[in-house]
Amino acid sequence: MSRRTFLTAAAALGLLPAGGRAFAEEGLLSFENARPFSFELLAEHARRMAMQPYIPPRPRDPEVLDQIDFDAHWKIKYRPEATLKVADGEAPVRLFHLGRYFQLPVGIHVVDGGESRELRYDPAVFDMPADSPARKLPKDIGYAGLRVMAPDQKNDWLAFLGAAYFRSSGELDQFGLSARALAIDVAMPTPEEFPRFTDYFLERSATPGHELVITCLIDSPRMTGVFRMDVGKHGPVVMDIDSRFFARDDIARLGLAPLTSMFWFSETDRPDRVDWRPEIHDSDGLAIHSGGNERIWRPLNNPSVVRTSSFSDKNPKGFGLLQRDRAFSNYEDDGVFYEKRPSVWIEPKGDWGQGEVQLVEIPTDDEIHDNIVAYWLSEKPVKKGDEIPLSYRLTWARDEPHPSEVSAVTATRIGRGGIAGQPRPKGVVKFAVDFDGGFVARLDRETEGVEAVVSTSRGELSNIDCYSVKVGTAWRMTFDLKAEDADPVDLRAYLKRGDQTLTETWLYQFLSDPDSAA
């Protein structure tokens, strides 16, 4: 299955929870016998798995599962009284049923006192229509995934369903982009490999302010591993992640701490009349806090072909896919609320060494396709037998969790180049980039000495200017670019005053189209 096919199938569905001993005693849920459990024991198990040939899992009764399409799956409801109460009900968990798009069962285990017990599948925990195809399945078919509910159980805020993906509704309680345990060979000539969480181990967190620890066993043709998430939700959702991966074979491109999002179009370079809404995206830019303390903002594109951009760094302080535009009027969507989609920030722990943040942008013609991937790629190649430890903090919030004093990019717009009232030069486009907050917001409108520093990989720059916007506290940078052909142009710009850098570094890959230039 291709990456695009998998993501399209998964886009519309959600995730579920897990429970505790009380329900087993009451007879609503039943568990297997207890087994010793720890992160180290599971990691050792994953290490041994990596030494063995990969055995592809096969779904049971695929003909029946294929009948459980989106509509049939939606009608299968988990019974609230069977909710697993982890952490004394602070993190109640419910489970997903298998279906057409999620045919491989996962193990659900509850951990207590250094022991784990696997939850047995029971169709009685689901409320199914009388004509549901799910009634034809074996009584031990298994569960598809889980979701963590709010204490009042009215909404979920964390979900796992399919491969090694997971999502959170974040600080604004609206699901959007996804995170993954790892990404293998994204945008390579060979098909992408999708590792999957085969088992989930749920336990109370011992970290103050956190409720739940979810430890996952990972398996795939070329990688195994263990992925531990210590999770808390108090406003933003914070996950402290410790992972250990074991390579079954060489891997050309191993994406660590990957994020997957959707960007169709925005105010930056909007195509004509593709949709009635002004903008449609889960994220509008990639932010990087480099190891050298530079703040970078790269607006996202929807290119005509797959494009991979690399940002070299050593020991990055953080990176993430952010949704900065929070105005409802810029989306006008009262169904899925793009202005509430979470920003997700990766904060490395320990020494990540030399490598690069990679951004992959894939063409899309609709909002149902996740077409943006960002991850860390170490300069060290992955060889068979390698062990790769990785720790970081993952934050799902309204804004980047560690704002800087430098001003942030708040808008990028592109239009016809030249000067109003004069003949417009052919093949010239104008860029207008707004910065706000931080240093520029403190400047007087008459402040002198503010300078726009702009560079380009090719083409000619002209009409470079910057000034305070008359409404609000933003400063605007404008410039023209003439590019002779359709090859990508890499642009770099920021504002400074004397020796002081005032703003983030704005990076942009302009995909010119000289045939349509006015």
Side-chain angles (χ1 to χ4, degrees):
M1 178 182 289
S2 71
R3 175 180 183 278
R4 296 297 299 280
T5 303
F6 171 81
L7 290 172
T8 301
L13 298 178
L15 309 172
L16 298 181
R21 184 169 298 169
F23 286 118
E25 292 170 354
E26 294 172 16
L28 295 176
L29 300 174
S30 62
F31 294 83
E32 303 291 349
N33 293 330
R35 296 183 177 183
F37 174 82
S38 70
F39 179 87
E40 293 299 330
L41 284 173
L42 195 61
E44 183 57 33
H45 177 65
R47 186 198 307 275
R48 291 195 301 270
M49 288 169 55
M51 298 176 183
Q52 303 298 321
Y54 177 71
I55 301 175
R58 298 185 181 277
R60 296 169 62 191
D61 291 276
E63 297 82 5
V64 176
L65 290 171
D66 199 54
Q67 298 174 38
I68 308 176
D69 58 12
F70 176 80
D71 290 335
H73 194 274
W74 186 252
K75 294 175 182 177
I76 302 173
K77 306 294 185 182
Y78 193 80
R79 296 183 183 276
E81 61 269 24
T83 300
L84 293 165
K85 291 186 177 178
V86 182
D88 291 336
E90 293 182 13
V93 175
R94 297 182 185 175
L95 307 172
F96 282 117
H97 200 281
L98 295 170
R100 173 183 294 180
Y101 305 115
F102 311 98
Q103 297 195 7
L104 296 176
V106 297
I108 305 294
H109 310 256
V110 177
V111 177
D112 185 25
E115 294 182 326
S116 70
R117 295 178 303 147
E118 184 172 4
L119 177 65
R120 295 191 185 99
Y121 173 80
D122 186 348
V125 303
F126 293 100
D127 185 3
M128 305 178 187
D131 61 350
S132 175
R135 292 184 176 274
K136 305 175 187 177
L137 292 169
K139 301 303 181 183
D140 61 347
I141 191 69
Y143 299 101
L146 64 92
R147 65 177 180 174
V148 182
M149 312 295 293
D152 62 8
Q153 300 189 35
K154 292 182 179 180
N155 298 293
D156 58 345
W157 56 271
L158 180 59
F160 299 80
L161 185 62
Y165 285 72
F166 54 99
R167 298 196 304 160
S168 174
S169 59
E171 185 174 6
L172 299 178
D173 296 318
Q174 182 68 47
F175 284 99
L177 75 168
S178 302
R180 294 197 252 173
L182 69 169
I184 298 178
D185 286 351
V186 177
M188 295 287 283
T190 54
E192 182 175 350
E193 182 175 311
F194 292 97
R196 62 182 292 260
F197 291 141
T198 63
D199 292 84
Y200 299 89
F201 297 81
L202 312 171
E203 61 185 306
R204 175 199 295 272
S205 173
T207 303
H210 287 204
E211 290 82 31
L212 183 65
V213 173
I214 305 175
T215 306
C216 308
L217 183 64
I218 298 170
D219 196 18
S220 79
R222 287 179 289 164
M223 185 68 75
T224 69
V226 59
F227 192 79
R228 182 183 189 272
M229 295 167 275
D230 191 343
V231 183
K233 177 175 170 56
H234 299 279
V237 173
V238 177
M239 302 176 174
D240 287 313
I241 292 175
D242 293 292
S243 57
R244 204 173 298 171
F245 305 117
F246 305 94
R248 269 198 176 104
D249 206 342
D250 297 353
I251 296 175
R253 180 180 290 178
L254 179 63
L256 300 172
L259 301 174
T260 297
S261 192
M262 180 277 293
F263 179 88
W264 188 8
F265 61 86
S266 72
E267 65 194 1
T268 298
D269 201 7
R270 187 183 190 281
D272 292 335
R273 295 188 179 89
V274 295
D275 193 89
W276 64 270
R277 292 161 293 180
E279 300 185 41
I280 299 177
H281 49 78
D282 286 340
S283 309
D284 51 13
L286 168 69
I288 301 173
H289 187 185
S290 75
N293 211 35
E294 183 180 19
R295 297 282 186 149
I296 295 170
W297 177 253
R298 165 56 155 81
L300 298 178
N301 274 322
N302 179 8
S304 58
V305 297
V306 177
R307 296 197 179 276
T308 301
S309 302
S310 299
F311 307 88
S312 296
D313 202 0
K314 182 178 181 179
N315 294 327
K317 293 181 170 63
F319 68 93
L321 292 174
L322 310 186
Q323 184 79 312
R324 282 188 171 171
D325 192 337
R326 295 296 181 187
F328 171 79
S329 59
N330 288 342
Y331 304 96
E332 292 293 342
D333 193 315
D334 61 352
V336 296
F337 301 102
Y338 285 111
E339 78 280 2
K340 294 183 180 181
R341 300 299 172 105
S343 294
V344 181
W345 186 252
I346 308 289
E347 186 177 352
K349 297 181 181 181
D351 187 347
W352 281 23
Q354 189 71 45
E356 54 195 48
V357 176
Q358 281 199 339
L359 172 67
V360 179
E361 297 165 304
I362 302 169
T364 187
D365 60 1
D366 207 336
E367 62 199 286
I368 65 172
H369 305 294
D370 279 0
N371 64 318
I372 302 294
V373 189
Y375 49 81
W376 174 255
L377 180 67
S378 173
E379 73 167 1
K380 183 181 178 181
V382 176
K383 299 296 183 182
K384 180 179 179 179
D386 283 352
E387 177 179 341
I388 303 163
L390 192 75
S391 297
Y392 55 96
R393 171 167 284 191
L394 190 61
T395 302
W396 309 68
R398 184 186 190 280
D399 303 306
E400 182 183 330
H402 305 293
S404 172
E405 281 195 295
V406 297
S407 305
V409 177
T410 56
T412 300
R413 301 179 179 90
I414 302 174
R416 291 193 303 170
I419 300 173
Q422 298 183 16
R424 300 285 183 159
K426 182 176 175 59
V428 176
V429 293
K430 184 176 295 293
F431 290 80
V433 181
D434 289 353
F435 302 91
D436 206 349
F439 291 132
V440 302
R442 305 171 201 164
L443 297 180
D444 184 271
R445 296 190 189 282
E446 307 303 322
T447 299
E448 297 182 352
V450 179
E451 178 184 356
V453 182
V454 187
S455 61
T456 180
S457 61
R458 63 184 192 84
E460 298 178 13
L461 297 171
S462 60
N463 296 327
I464 298 174
D465 195 10
C466 64
Y467 50 88
S468 175
V469 178
K470 293 181 180 179
V471 177
T473 57
W475 277 63
R476 179 166 294 163
M477 170 182 64
T478 60
F479 63 90
D480 285 356
L481 170 71
K482 182 177 182 180
E484 298 293 344
D485 54 53
D487 290 339
V489 180
D490 292 312
L491 295 161
R492 179 184 181 91
Y494 63 95
L495 298 185
K496 72 172 187 175
R497 187 176 184 225
D499 294 332
Q500 183 185 27
T501 298
L502 299 176
T503 69
E504 292 178 319
T505 299
W506 173 85
L507 302 180
Y508 190 70
Q509 186 173 81
F510 176 59
L511 309 176
S512 58
D513 183 4
D515 293 335
S516 64

